[in-house]
Structures are given as structure tokens and as C-alpha cells.
Amino acid sequence: MTAPAQIPASAVPSVEVHQLFLPDVPETAIPSDMRDEGGSVLLTSATDGIVELRRNADGWWVSRRWTIGDPLPAGAFGMALYGEGDLVFVIVHSQGVFKLQGRSGTWVEWPHSGPMPLVVGMALQRGRGLWVGTGATIGAPNGGAAHFLPTQGEPFRIRIVDRQVQPGGSMLVKESESVWMATRSGVVQADTWGRLRLLSTLRVQTLFRNTKTGETAAVGASIQRWSESEGFVPVIFEVPFREPHEMGHPIDVVVDNQGRWTILYSGGKVVLLNAQRQFEALLDAEHGIEPTSRKLLHLPDTDEILIGTGNRGLSLLTRRAANLSGPLTQTGKPSASHPLPHHFR
């Protein structure tokens, strides 16, 4: 049986994707963090440092930029994270965490002796301190841990010997005393009492929490949402028009303020679900999605999504309100069935 053609761009009236042309932003920069108050965005380029964007009525503009020597150290840069006040934290691979304040910078003092472990992720617990996830390396074979660096008081770490449970990079603070970490074994919760708890049992690459609605999602080996009564439960839907190998696997996710899901796949595809978690549309290069897209960042004030490619700059995805009871067909109307099964079903 021949599969139907993919939805043309003109048949997705509720979605717009625009490339952002900003001459002062490296094409390698990807979105890293968003400050809820003020609407500023941090971008990270592994080789070219950190950029802060703001937006006004005339569009996006670069408000600050930190480069090697001004005042960043030489190195390869990972995620950047807003701290309290004017602080910005930056992962410098194989070296540690660097702290920026205004135009000055200094290393975050590492409280533990021995070789520096591999820093893979960070999460801010507002008013309390900074969670840092680390993994083991050849030089630091016991480096896997969740570290809490409090604003006041003594830092501590929770050692994690099993590499399958060590932090993988994505971390979020959902409760006042704990952090959730994406790992090869699933979502792991670590708390300030030194306890670890496995919340899901499938590999997780990325965690997301909507700061306005509290909706929490996880993607990796599957797509899951958090239920206060059931824990993590699978999100099941059908994707027509593509064979599974063309999609790849889910690498990032956003749930917007209206409850709609945007899921980025490693194959450079984006799947849109409505607020009932039903398939709405499949987007790819025809719709402006770069094949190398690798990171989503939700802008809660406008409900838009920044997409970082790692080598082709930034795009902005806008989903306008749409009255859809089911997924879009080629004519843009709801459809109740699909000829191709979804590969996560």
C-alpha cells in the first residue's frame, strides 16, 4: 500500500517557522536557558562563547556577549544557566563550572577533592543553591554524582556508582527539596537528604517542565508525561506519512501554556500534538525545520519556541490557536485514522 503524501506547508495554517538572522549570533549557538522575568534568552556556542538575546517591538537583539578572554576561559562550552540576580553559570567541558557576573567571571569553587569529574548538567533551586550533575571519566572513575552547592551552608554530593543511573545532562527542579535527572535508566530524583529514587524505567534524554502550568514531560526511548497519581505514563499517538527510521528518536520536547506538545526528533522532524495529546501535524525541511535541529526552548510569555540547529542558526516556531478535534490531513481538516502506525505504539 502506498503511503499518502506528507502534509504540505500550506496545509498547516496554525504554524509558522521563521529563521532568525542575527549577525552577532554564531550559527553554532543553541538555546540554553530562558529567564521568566524580562524575557531574556541565553545561547551557547561550544567554540564562540555565550550570547544573551532580548526582544522588543523591533525584534531580537544581542544584549550581552561573553567570549574567550572576555571574560570566559579557553575551552569548549556546554549549557549556560541563569542564576540569582545577575549571575550566569556556564559549563566548561573537562574543567568545571564558570560563573559570570556582569563583565567579570570566576570559577565556581569545587568543594570536593580529587580529579574533576565530567560536568554534564545544572539546575537552579531558587533561593537555595545550584544542583550540578557529573559523570565518571577515565581520570575520575568515581565521578558520577549529584552535587548540591547551596547559597548558604555546606555543599554535599550523592555518589552514583552505576553509570546507567548517572546524570545524562538534562536536569530540572520540580519540588523544593529535590532535582530530577535524565539518565540511561530513566528519570532519577535526588533530594537534599541524600536520597535517590527511580521515577521511570526507560532511557530519558531530555526533561521539560512548563513553569506556568507545571506540565512535565520526558523523551528518549519513549515519550512520557508526569501524573501526580500514576507517575510517568506513556504518551501514545500515531504519526502518518513517515517510516520509523526516517523519524529517528525523540530528543527534545516542549509543552506550551495551552497544553500542546512539540516534539523534536533526531531525524530533523517535529511532531505537533494538540492539548489532548493527539497528532496534529508533522513538520520537516519543507516547513522550515532544519535537518540538524537539536534543541527546543519554550518562551512562556509568547508561547513560541526557539529551535537551535548547532550549525545553521536559530528558528522561531509559532503555533497559533486552532480548533482541531484530530490530526490534520492534506486538506488541513481533522482525520480520525492513519494508514501508518506510530513506531512507539
Side-chain angles (χ1 to χ4, degrees):
M1 177 174 134
T2 302
Q6 184 194 358
I7 301 172
S10 60
V12 191
S14 62
V15 178
E16 293 180 356
V17 180
H18 300 288
Q19 188 170 4
L20 299 182
F21 297 99
L22 301 169
D24 295 328
V25 176
E27 287 191 336
T28 55
I30 61 173
S32 189
D33 195 22
M34 167 80 185
R35 190 188 291 278
D36 289 341
E37 64 277 10
S40 56
V41 171
L42 288 176
L43 310 176
T44 300
S45 167
T47 56
D48 294 315
I50 312 300
V51 176
E52 183 182 65
L53 295 183
R54 291 181 181 270
R55 182 163 60 173
N56 55 25
D58 297 323
W60 293 91
W61 55 284
V62 175
S63 56
R64 291 188 289 182
R65 184 172 181 183
W66 299 272
T67 57
I68 293 176
D70 184 26
L72 292 173
F77 307 106
M79 74 170 293
L81 179 73
Y82 281 113
E84 305 281 2
D86 196 37
L87 289 178
V88 172
F89 297 98
V90 183
I91 292 176
V92 186
H93 292 305
S94 302
Q95 298 186 61
V97 179
F98 198 74
K99 179 172 62 176
L100 298 164
Q101 189 161 24
R103 297 307 310 171
S104 62
T106 185
W107 290 102
V108 171
E109 183 177 354
W110 198 247
H112 311 299
S113 60
M116 185 69 196
L118 177 67
V119 178
V120 296
M122 302 181 292
L124 182 71
Q125 196 158 42
R126 294 193 177 277
R128 297 290 305 279
L130 181 70
W131 284 96
V132 178
T134 61
T137 65
I138 295 176
N142 299 317
H147 308 257
F148 186 62
L149 310 180
T151 305
Q152 296 181 338
E154 293 296 321
F156 70 88
R157 64 180 165 184
I158 307 171
R159 290 187 181 275
I160 305 174
V161 178
D162 187 346
R163 295 198 179 198
Q164 300 298 315
V165 189
Q166 291 178 5
S170 183
M171 304 172 67
L172 63 83
V173 172
K174 182 172 170 62
E175 300 169 356
S176 60
E177 303 290 340
S178 69
V179 65
W180 290 12
M181 305 177 293
T183 80
R184 296 174 186 173
S185 293
V187 179
V188 173
Q189 180 187 40
D191 63 31
T192 52
W193 290 278
R195 299 173 299 193
L196 293 175
R197 178 187 173 202
L198 188 63
L199 302 179
S200 71
T201 57
L202 294 172
R203 179 185 61 82
V204 173
Q205 181 167 341
T206 304
L207 290 165
F208 172 82
R209 179 175 182 265
N210 186 302
T211 57
K212 290 184 179 293
T213 67
E215 184 86 20
T216 303
V219 296
S222 68
I223 301 168
Q224 303 173 79
R225 64 180 179 88
W226 174 256
S227 165
E228 294 296 339
S229 60
E230 302 176 76
F232 276 103
V233 295
V235 174
I236 300 174
F237 54 91
E238 290 183 320
V239 177
F241 321 117
R242 282 288 187 265
E243 295 289 351
H245 70 273
E246 296 179 334
M247 295 290 296
H249 64 277
I251 59 175
D252 209 349
V253 61
V254 161
V255 185
D256 68 17
N257 301 340
Q258 300 179 55
R260 302 171 301 184
W261 289 55
T262 301
I263 305 166
L264 174 63
Y265 284 75
S266 59
K269 312 293 190 295
V270 169
V271 167
L272 306 180
L273 306 182
N274 61 23
Q276 290 73 45
R277 297 180 293 278
Q278 298 170 328
F279 177 81
E280 186 173 282
L282 172 65
L283 310 178
D284 60 11
E286 182 181 351
H287 309 89
I289 304 297
E290 293 288 345
T292 58
S293 296
R294 52 188 282 201
K295 176 65 178 175
L296 306 177
L297 184 69
H298 182 227
L299 308 180
D301 288 344
T302 60
D303 233 4
E304 296 169 302
I305 297 172
L306 273 178
I307 305 176
T309 65
N311 62 2
R312 299 291 298 273
L314 301 169
S315 299
L316 186 68
L317 187 152
T318 303
R319 296 181 67 174
R320 295 188 298 272
N323 295 320
L324 296 172
S325 58
L328 291 171
T329 63
Q330 287 180 274
T331 59
K333 297 178 181 179
S335 172
S337 61
H338 309 287
L340 293 178
H342 174 58
H343 59 287
F344 288 109
R345 190 171 62 177

